[in-house]
Amino acid sequence: MNNQYGLFINYEYCTGCHVCEVACKKVHDLPEGQYGIVLCEDGPRKNINGKWELTYLPLPTHLCDFCEERVKEGRLPSCVHHCQSGVMVYDTLENLAKLAEDHPRSVIFNTQE
């Protein structure tokens, strides 16, 4: 696996639809209760400014291999391909770092060896 690539998630716009979880489970044929990516939820809560916050963050687990076989075929990881909100990007870490500069509510996950 090429560890110069990663997964960018702009969680400001994630709608919490769980499509990433479902797509991953189907591609990897994971049993019930096992996930390659899991959707975490924070909130809802009212902050000190009086605004309500609800944040969804897809989080790759130890079972995530960034769809290594799909990527070898020239395809995107399943979670990225199926993300309905378009908040996930798979690319080089260099490109993802540039992308993150414009999106302060985002994270980058590095591929693992």
Side-chain angles (χ1 to χ4, degrees), residues 37-54:
I37 191 165
V38 65
L39 186 69
C40 299
E41 181 178 323
D42 179 41
R45 71 172 169 290
K46 200 174 201 178
N47 68 27
I48 60 173
N49 298 326
K51 293 185 180 182
W52 284 95
E53 292 184 3
L54 176 59

Side-chain angles (χ1 to χ4, degrees), residues 63-80:
L63 295 177
C64 176
D65 67 357
F66 293 86
C67 288
E68 185 175 10
E69 294 303 315
R70 286 177 58 91
V71 170
K72 282 180 184 176
E73 296 170 356
R75 301 187 301 163
L76 291 172
S78 186
C79 60
V80 176

Side-chain angles (χ1 to χ4, degrees), residues 2-103:
N2 186 340
N3 64 0
Q4 297 301 311
Y5 280 77
L7 178 65
F8 169 89
I9 302 173
N10 181 357
Y11 62 88
E12 181 172 4
Y13 298 108
C14 178
T15 63
C17 70
H18 294 271
V19 168
C20 55
E21 286 181 339
V22 173
C24 179
K25 284 182 77 67
K26 288 188 69 93
V27 161
H28 294 292
D29 196 27
L30 295 173
E32 184 176 338
Q34 298 295 304
Y35 299 89
I37 191 165
V38 65
L39 186 69
C40 299
E41 181 178 323
D42 179 41
R45 71 172 169 290
K46 200 174 201 178
N47 68 27
I48 60 173
N49 298 326
K51 293 185 180 182
W52 284 95
E53 292 184 3
L54 176 59
T55 302
Y56 297 105
L57 177 59
L59 180 66
T61 73
H62 68 282
L63 295 177
C64 176
D65 67 357
F66 293 86
C67 288
E68 185 175 10
E69 294 303 315
R70 286 177 58 91
V71 170
K72 282 180 184 176
E73 296 170 356
R75 301 187 301 163
L76 291 172
S78 186
C79 60
V80 176
H81 176 76
H82 291 285
C83 179
Q84 295 178 1
S85 298
V87 300
M88 297 180 162
V89 177
Y90 180 79
D91 204 343
T92 65
L93 293 175
E94 182 179 345
N95 288 342
L96 297 180
K98 291 176 188 172
L99 185 60
E101 290 175 4
D102 296 327
H103 301 283

